[in-house]
Amino acid sequence: MKTLLKVTKAVCLTVGVLFVAFVVYANLEEPSLSDKLNLKPIQLVVFNLSKPLSTSDSTSLASSLEGTLGVTAATVNPKSQTVSVTYHADEVNEETLKQKVERFPVSATKLEFSQMDGPKCPIPMSYIDFVLDAKKALCFR
C-alpha cells in the first residue's frame, strides 16, 4: 500500500510540474500577430485551369474574385494555369469560388496538397492544433 501511495504521489508531482512548465512556456513566448490582433483564420484554395487565360481575362478574374465577400486575396497565374485564393471559410465556400472561376471559358480542378509527392510532416495536424490551442488557452496576456 505504501508503494502505491509513493507511485501516486510521484505521478501527481510529475504531472503538476509538467503542467506548470507548459503554462510558463505558453506565457513566455510572444503571441503571433494574428493572435494579438484577434484576426480570423483564413483558408487557401488553389485551382488548376484547363487552359491558359489571356492577360485581360486573368485581370478580370482576379478582380472578380477579390470583389467576393470573404475573399482576402486572389492571384491568377496565366503561365502555370493556376488561381490561388485566400478566404474566410465562414463567409464563402470553395464551391462558390470554383463557380466564379468557371464563368470564364475554363474548367477548374482543386489542387490537393495532401496528394503531392515530397516530404510531409509525420505529426498529424490535429495534434499540432491541440498543442497550439492549449498554449493559447493557457496564455494569460
Side-chain angles (χ1 to χ4, degrees):
M1 193 65 167
K2 284 186 176 183
T3 308
L4 182 62
L5 187 61
K6 285 182 181 181
V7 170
T8 304
K9 283 183 182 179
V11 168
C12 289
L13 183 65
T14 303
V15 169
V17 167
L18 289 175
F19 180 75
V20 169
F22 191 71
V23 169
V24 169
Y25 167 68
N27 286 282
L28 284 179
E29 188 176 36
E30 185 72 21
S32 68
L33 183 60
S34 62
D35 288 338
K36 284 182 184 178
L37 299 176
N38 200 21
L39 299 176
K40 290 193 310 186
I42 60 170
Q43 303 291 323
L44 168 69
V45 65
V46 178
F47 296 111
N48 285 326
L49 304 177
S50 60
K51 63 180 184 176
L53 291 175
S54 66
T55 306
S56 61
D57 284 345
S58 298
T59 305
S60 60
L61 175 58
S63 62
S64 169
L65 288 169
E66 287 177 348
T68 305
L69 177 69
V71 173
T72 58
T75 304
V76 180
N77 189 333
K79 282 187 179 178
S80 66
Q81 300 176 16
T82 58
V83 177
S84 304
V85 184
T86 56
Y87 64 96
H88 295 290
D90 61 340
E91 296 177 14
V92 68
N93 59 19
E94 288 180 13
E95 191 57 39
T96 304
L97 298 173
K98 184 177 180 181
Q99 289 171 358
K100 282 205 173 249
V101 171
E102 289 181 339
R103 286 186 186 155
F104 291 81
V106 294
S107 63
T109 55
K110 180 182 171 188
L111 178 65
E112 294 291 341
F113 294 110
S114 62
Q115 306 295 326
M116 298 180 82
D117 292 335
K120 293 182 176 64
C121 183
I123 301 170
M125 198 61 200
S126 59
Y127 294 172
I128 296 170
D129 288 339
F130 173 77
V131 171
L132 292 177
D133 290 343
K135 271 180 43 182
K136 196 181 295 183
L138 293 174
C139 183
F140 302 119
R141 293 189 214 187

